[in-house]
Amino acid sequence: DIQMTQSPSTLSASVGDRVTITCRASQSISSWLAWYQQKPGKAPKLLIYKASTLESGVPSRFSGSGSGTEFTLTISSLQPDDFATYYCQQYNSYPRTFGQGTKLEIK
Amino acid sequence: EVQLVESGGRLVQPGWSLRLSCAASGFTFSNYAMNWVRQAPGKGLEWVSYINSRSGFIYYADSVKGRFTVSRDNAKSSLYLQMNSLRAEDTAVYYCARDHIDYGDLDYWGQGTLVTVSS
């Protein structure tokens, strides 16, 4: 199975900050990676797919990059609505696996 | 508008069975692969199962293989998860999620249904 490791697990930041979350795969997954945002008590929401393609309706301050085994999600200027937990997920092979999550907190 | 509505979650005892349903609307259900994803209380997301549009390809997480069965009824635009031999560690919110038409990301999710396994 492909293991997905996110870092950091928790990130404290302020409104307006630029933040980056990293996701590493235990083996190459090409660009078959998605990023999701989840707020407490809500279902996850797709942000990025195929490593760097922004889902329709997602603000352009979100961006994704990477291929192979290392990927990043960047938020260029944090907004109050962005404080949430973020997950990466690989869909290169089954079982599909998620990272453990990164909780983005207000500093 | 795409909608996925899960139902069937409740409190059950270890060893019992339960069937979850997911009613889809707002899109041509028969064209899309579907998934079940779960989230234990306070924990991260765990992919559970996948079924392609015509039920020809089905996959499970190792943690549920042999106990859970995914199925679908395209005529009813519905997805199901039959869960047998339930364990305490199966306690979670279960989400159904639609596969992107071209890729394997999950572009729409339901609101989830809570399954609690406890004596």
Side-chain angles (χ1 to χ4, degrees):
Chain A
D1 297 0
I2 297 175
Q3 310 302 317
M4 305 301 292
T5 304
Q6 288 181 234
S7 60
S9 295
T10 306
L11 179 58
S12 295
S14 302
V15 172
D17 284 354
R18 178 185 179 90
V19 299
T20 297
I21 299 169
T22 298
C23 178
R24 289 186 173 86
S26 60
Q27 63 189 77
S28 178
I29 58 169
S30 185
S31 295
W32 304 122
L33 183 104
W35 289 97
Y36 303 89
Q37 177 193 66
Q38 187 180 33
K39 296 181 179 178
K42 300 293 186 182
K45 172 188 172 184
L46 176 66
L47 299 175
I48 302 275
Y49 63 94
K50 212 178 164 193
S52 60
T53 304
L54 197 67
E55 173 71 346
S56 177
V58 174
S60 59
R61 62 181 180 273
F62 291 92
S63 63
S65 65
S67 66
T69 62
E70 188 148 338
F71 303 85
T72 58
L73 172 70
T74 299
I75 309 173
S76 60
S77 178
L78 273 174
Q79 300 302 302
D81 191 49
D82 300 338
F83 292 95
T85 300
Y86 293 84
Y87 295 92
C88 61
Q89 178 225 345
Q90 67 82 18
Y91 47 96
N92 178 77
S93 63
Y94 294 93
R96 293 176 174 177
T97 42
F98 289 90
Q100 81 279 14
T102 295
K103 186 175 182 180
L104 182 52
E105 299 179 331
I106 300 174
K107 185 185 286 185
Chain B
E1 178 195 4
V2 172
Q3 285 201 323
L4 298 170
V5 180
E6 302 93 337
S7 61
R10 65 181 182 97
L11 172 63
V12 297
Q13 294 187 11
W16 286 23
S17 297
L18 196 61
R19 188 196 199 203
L20 304 183
S21 299
C22 171
S25 61
F27 64 103
T28 305
F29 181 74
S30 59
N31 287 348
Y32 288 83
M34 298 294 295
N35 298 263
W36 288 98
V37 176
R38 69 184 181 183
Q39 186 169 38
K43 302 298 183 181
L45 300 171
E46 180 187 14
W47 174 84
V48 172
S49 184
Y50 163 96
I51 183 168
N52 79 334
S53 60
R54 305 223 181 256
S55 306
F57 291 93
I58 291 175
Y59 301 96
Y60 299 99
D62 287 345
S63 58
V64 307
K65 202 174 295 182
R67 299 187 299 123
F68 290 13
T69 302
V70 64
S71 62
R72 63 190 295 160
D73 185 335
N74 287 342
K76 295 183 178 179
S77 295
S78 292
L79 175 72
Y80 306 101
L81 186 67
Q82 177 67 42
M83 304 185 295
N84 297 332
S85 303
L86 282 162
R87 306 166 180 168
E89 54 265 35
D90 295 318
T91 294
V93 173
Y94 285 74
Y95 296 100
C96 68
R98 189 183 84 168
D99 246 35
H100 188 286
I101 190 70
D102 294 318
Y103 308 111
D105 53 280
L106 307 178
D107 61 358
Y108 284 92
W109 298 61
Q111 85 291 347
T113 188
L114 176 61
V115 173
T116 303
V117 184
S118 175
S119 54

